Amino acid sequence: MAEPLLSVEDLKVHFFTRDGVVRAVDGVDFAVNRGETLGIVGESGSGKTVSSLALLRLVPPPARTVGGRVVFEGTDLLTLPTKALGTIRGRRIAMVFQNPATSLNPIYSIGSQLGEILLWHEPITRAEAEARVISLLTLVGITDPAARLRQYPHELSGGMKQRVGIARALLCNPSLVLADEPTTALDVTIQAQILDLLADLRRRLGMAMVLVTHDMGVVARMADRITVMYAGRVCETADAATIFRAPQHPYTRALLDSMPRIDHRYTGGARQVLPTIPGRPPNLLDPPAGCRFHPRCPDAIADCRRILPLETEIAPGHTVSCIRRGSQGIAA
């Protein structure tokens, strides 16, 4: 079996605050194969975005990556010298950030900040860089791209800014694109356009993608495989069809149950109320012992409060962290 393009092993990212250590990512494992889309899903605060930023060592202070490996094309990015990592960021691995209004520099024109990336990574002239930028802006569906080069981010709509962000990520033909909630700041119509664009570009360019989102509908549409995270740990990983057809972790099932369905009427009656997950995510300054989901889990038993479940393969390509589903564990 071919080696994955990206392999993340026991990744740990902690925030060192005045109140204590926040274990935002606490032993996460996942892999991305060439040409596939991995969706990482979970509630806000589950560690999705921090995990994606850690892949390129972009976590902001007071966060630090304190353990694990991030192996990309055979190289551990966490031990790579900063200068060598600079040849990979934006070239072999690129990122589409969540908010296009803040990820683009407001004091530089679109042409200037996109062209700078090409001039940094490629031995080309400014004229060649400009031609490449125009080509990418056309590819992502921006009209009159030559005129856009002279515009500044504030002159573009939210959807246009995100298309520029996608073009920026594709400038150097990366093998892997990290898309962190790329449609959150956009209205529903523009969200659909951006998702269609990302899916089309992935097919045409043959790149792999890590799609970070809290929206199960988005991963149903986009992902080949799905990793579900909760409170800094992985609950379940499987192909998308398995996650939606036969989820095994109680948290995965709860996420799916809390999605509105077009064949249900939610009118307020006892059978029509949209289910919700009771309680709220734990404080990661002091996470609960055992399984972190057990305070909210309808299936919890006494062992869930004292045994930390480990990811265990229950079927080929399907891992679960739940002792009631046969996972191994360690005493907390």
Side-chain angles (χ1 to χ4, degrees), residues 115-138:
E116 179 185 16
I117 296 171
L118 284 169
L119 292 171
W120 173 265
H121 288 292
E122 305 282 352
I124 59 177
T125 65
R126 290 191 177 276
E128 291 170 332
E130 181 175 305
R132 174 67 176 162
V133 170
I134 290 175
S135 174
L136 263 296
L137 293 179
T138 301

Side-chain angles (χ1 to χ4, degrees), residues 5-13 25 28-32 38-40 47-60 63-73 75-81 84-86 88-90 92-97 176-180 208-212 227 229:
L5 175 67
L6 174 77
S7 178
V8 178
E9 305 166 8
D10 198 28
L11 180 65
K12 295 180 180 179
V13 183
V25 178
V28 164
D29 299 284
F30 60 83
V32 185
L38 173 72
I40 302 181
K48 310 181 302 296
T49 291
V50 175
S51 295
S52 66
L53 291 173
L55 303 184
L56 288 175
R57 288 162 42 187
L58 294 176
V59 290
R64 292 204 307 268
T65 301
V66 298
R69 302 176 73 222
V70 176
V71 180
F72 174 72
E73 295 182 332
T75 300
D76 185 358
L77 302 184
L78 298 186
T79 61
L80 204 61
L85 182 63
I88 293 176
R89 287 177 180 157
R92 304 298 298 147
I93 305 177
M95 193 158 191
V96 179
F97 294 92
L176 175 65
V177 170
L178 311 176
D180 177 21
M209 184 183 303
V210 174
L211 178 63
V212 173
T227 288
M229 289 187 64

Side-chain angles (χ1 to χ4, degrees), residues 95-308:
M95 193 158 191
V96 179
F97 294 92
Q98 179 172 348
N99 190 344
T102 57
S103 66
L104 294 171
N105 194 319
I107 66 172
Y108 291 101
S109 68
I110 300 301
S112 175
Q113 52 190 303
L114 268 64
E116 179 185 16
I117 296 171
L118 284 169
L119 292 171
W120 173 265
H121 288 292
E122 305 282 352
I124 59 177
T125 65
R126 290 191 177 276
E128 291 170 332
E130 181 175 305
R132 174 67 176 162
V133 170
I134 290 175
S135 174
L136 263 296
L137 293 179
T138 301
L139 182 66
V140 299
I142 290 182
T143 58
D144 197 6
R148 304 296 181 192
L149 297 184
R150 298 185 295 275
Q151 291 186 305
Y152 290 81
H154 73 271
E155 299 179 86
L156 305 180
S157 67
M160 292 284 276
K161 283 197 280 279
Q162 193 61 295
R163 288 175 186 269
V164 170
I166 293 170
R168 177 181 59 187
L170 301 179
L171 282 170
C172 298
N173 297 314
S175 299
L176 175 65
V177 170
L178 311 176
D180 177 21
E181 304 263 15
T183 62
T184 296
L186 308 175
D187 65 60
V188 175
T189 302
I190 303 301
Q191 283 185 25
Q193 294 175 3
I194 294 298
L195 291 174
D196 287 342
L197 174 63
L198 286 170
D200 179 60
L201 291 171
R202 196 207 80 177
R203 287 191 297 268
R204 291 168 62 182
L205 303 178
M207 62 188 183
M209 184 183 303
V210 174
L211 178 63
V212 173
T213 181
H214 64 274
D215 191 331
M216 296 297 286
V218 169
V219 289
R221 180 175 182 171
M222 298 285 292
D224 300 304
R225 290 189 306 115
I226 297 172
T227 288
V228 181
M229 289 187 64
Y230 180 79
R233 296 184 63 83
V234 172
C235 297
E236 185 168 5
T237 295
D239 64 87
T242 298
I243 289 290
F244 283 92
R245 184 183 65 250
Q248 295 301 302
H249 197 283
Y251 180 63
T252 308
R253 293 202 311 270
L255 284 178
L256 293 171
D257 289 343
S258 63
M259 290 177 57
R261 292 178 48 171
I262 60 173
D263 57 342
H264 286 191
R265 294 180 63 190
Y266 301 103
T267 59
R271 294 187 179 181
Q272 288 80 35
V273 174
L274 181 65
T276 59
I277 305 174
R280 54 186 177 181
N283 180 356
L284 295 183
L285 279 169
D286 185 25
C291 174
R292 291 186 175 177
F293 186 59
H294 85 256
R296 308 172 71 189
C297 180
D299 300 335
I301 58 177
D303 281 349
C304 298
R305 296 169 174 80
R306 65 177 187 83
I307 296 176
L308 178 67

